[in-house]
Amino acid sequence: KIENMSYHGMYSAGAVLVCDRSNIESIEKYGTFTADGGFGRIEKCQLTGNSSSDTVRFRTSASGGIEDSTITGGKNAVLIERASSVLIGKDKAVTISGAENGITVDSSNVEIRKTTINNNTGNGINADRNSSVYLGGDNTITNNGGYAVELKTGSTLSNKCSNSNNISSNSKGVFSVSLGSEASLCNMTLSSSNVIINAVTNSTVKISDSSLTSSSERVIYSRGSALDINETIITGNSSKEALTLNDGSDLQISKSTISGAKSGIAAVYNSTVRLQGGNTITSNAQHGLYLMNSTLHQYSDTSVSTISNNAGTEIKAERSFMKLQGVTITGTGGSSEIDLRYGSILMLGSG
């Protein structure tokens, strides 16, 4: 056991640093474990930090791993920075909790498996400045005060499709993707009272084979970003649009269902919706699709999309352009199935 130290608990510069079956706590100034270059490994350890420093740090081209351990407290429970690379939870479970942020990755890479990240006051995972986060499966990211995962400045997030993750009850929402970052996600079942995906400022989100539900907010919000959605069920709530596209956003969607929202898709201010076929937009409280100063397309070389049984209009457009082929539009809820206003143009092909 190491405790009551003024500076570091364990520190190494350019060498091998191993914590094995140890407790480290009450370190006054710096972290309990710092690998500054070289290789660091934490196994069967309990590490407790304080709010003024990071509990575990891998920095300056360091590499290493963490498994079968508990890391509690700190400004960041785990900080991986300056071109470092770490594998967390390769074979045995890791718990990370009680910090400001669970894991922060800065210009570095992390793979996370079999890890619980919960009860942090900020984000579960932060990634900034061209960092990479890979969710290898069997992770639990819950009850954090910010987002489950927040990506910034060219960072990336992906996951192993064959393994599931439990991501829920994070106060701000599930994923925030901003400043040119990219999330590529598959086989996700995500439910929240907040936004599921927030994509802004030239970012990209690709999601497939998933189920997304928000009980109070938009399911997906995009501002100036690109979305590619395939074979996904999107369920909203009657107070918010399921998908909102703003400020030049671009959506391609195929073989997906959107229902239960105020409007299925709202695209405004020079945004573009491309129905790639096989979609169903139904049973929303107002419109199936709402467009303002935006465009909507589906071409004849794709399978049929259906827009039906939305309580207001199936499509409402203001100052917008639409070209639809292979689309079935039906309904009994609205007084007008297609409502064109302020010079909107609709071109219909077969369907």
Side-chain angles (χ1 to χ4, degrees):
K1 184 175 183 178
I2 301 172
E3 61 181 346
N4 300 319
M5 304 294 289
S6 297
Y7 287 90
H8 297 280
M10 299 179 69
Y11 176 85
S12 173
V16 176
L17 182 65
V18 177
C19 177
D20 186 8
R21 297 175 176 85
S22 299
N23 292 357
I24 306 176
E25 60 186 30
S26 301
I27 307 303
E28 183 176 336
K29 189 171 183 181
Y30 298 114
T32 63
F33 182 99
T34 300
D36 194 350
F39 179 85
R41 180 168 178 80
I42 299 171
E43 185 172 3
K44 292 182 169 61
C45 289
Q46 294 186 25
L47 309 179
T48 304
N50 62 74
S51 60
S52 63
S53 64
D54 305 304
T55 304
V56 172
R57 293 191 291 180
F58 291 85
R59 58 188 304 187
T60 320
S61 301
S63 62
I66 304 170
E67 62 179 324
D68 199 11
S69 295
T70 299
I71 302 169
T72 305
K75 185 176 181 181
N76 298 290
V78 178
L79 173 63
I80 305 163
E81 62 176 344
R82 301 180 188 176
S84 297
S85 183
V86 177
L87 172 57
I88 300 175
K90 178 182 178 182
D91 296 311
K92 296 181 180 179
V94 174
T95 298
I96 296 170
S97 65
E100 181 179 333
N101 297 298
I103 300 171
T104 290
V105 192
D106 191 339
S107 302
S108 297
N109 306 310
V110 65
E111 179 176 347
I112 306 168
R113 310 177 194 169
K114 298 182 175 69
T115 296
T116 296
I117 306 168
N118 64 358
N119 298 320
N120 300 286
T121 59
N123 295 322
I125 301 170
N126 270 332
D128 198 1
R129 293 193 286 188
N130 301 303
S131 293
S132 172
V133 177
Y134 180 71
L135 300 178
D138 302 317
N139 298 296
T140 297
I141 309 173
T142 60
N143 297 313
N144 297 289
Y147 291 99
V149 182
E150 183 169 11
L151 307 177
K152 294 186 287 188
T153 323
S155 296
T156 63
L157 169 68
S158 58
N159 71 296
K160 187 174 183 178
C161 296
S162 59
N163 290 353
S164 63
N165 298 277
N166 174 20
I167 304 174
S168 63
S169 302
N170 297 282
S171 296
K172 286 188 177 180
V174 182
F175 300 124
S176 176
V177 186
S178 66
L179 300 170
S181 296
E182 179 172 329
S184 297
L185 304 166
C186 52
N187 189 29
M188 287 277 181
T189 299
L190 302 172
S191 179
S192 176
S193 60
N194 293 294
V195 66
I196 302 295
I197 298 171
N198 185 53
V200 299
T201 321
N202 298 315
S203 295
T204 301
V205 173
K206 301 176 182 178
I207 188 160
S208 62
D209 302 301
S210 295
S211 175
L212 314 178
T213 303
S214 177
S215 61
S216 300
E217 293 291 336
R218 298 176 178 94
V219 180
I220 300 175
Y221 176 76
S222 174
R223 189 178 74 244
S225 295
L227 308 174
D228 189 341
I229 300 172
N230 181 51
E231 294 186 338
T232 291
I233 298 171
I234 299 171
T235 306
N237 59 86
S238 59
S239 63
K240 298 288 184 178
E241 298 81 5
L243 280 76
T244 295
L245 313 177
N246 204 338
D247 291 343
S249 292
D250 184 276
L251 167 66
Q252 296 188 66
I253 184 167
S254 60
K255 302 176 184 177
S256 296
T257 299
I258 304 171
S259 64
K262 179 180 178 181
S263 294
I265 300 172
V268 301
Y269 301 125
N270 301 309
S271 294
T272 300
V273 178
R274 294 180 175 88
L275 302 177
Q276 300 291 90
N279 299 292
T280 299
I281 303 172
T282 188
S283 302
N284 295 287
Q286 289 188 4
H287 316 296
L289 293 101
Y290 170 73
L291 290 90
M292 183 173 70
N293 297 328
S294 295
T295 61
L296 168 67
H297 301 275
Q298 174 159 313
Y299 299 111
S300 59
D301 57 349
T302 61
S303 57
V304 172
S305 288
T306 300
I307 306 168
S308 66
N309 295 315
N310 298 285
T313 54
E314 305 304 330
I315 300 174
K316 181 177 179 178
E318 301 177 351
R319 304 183 186 92
S320 296
F321 173 82
M322 295 169 288
K323 184 176 181 179
L324 301 177
Q325 297 175 281
V327 176
T328 299
I329 301 172
T330 62
T332 58
S335 57
S336 299
E337 302 311 331
I338 300 176
D339 184 359
L340 304 179
R341 300 187 181 193
Y342 308 120
S344 293
I345 298 172
L346 171 61
M347 299 177 65
L348 289 175
S350 59

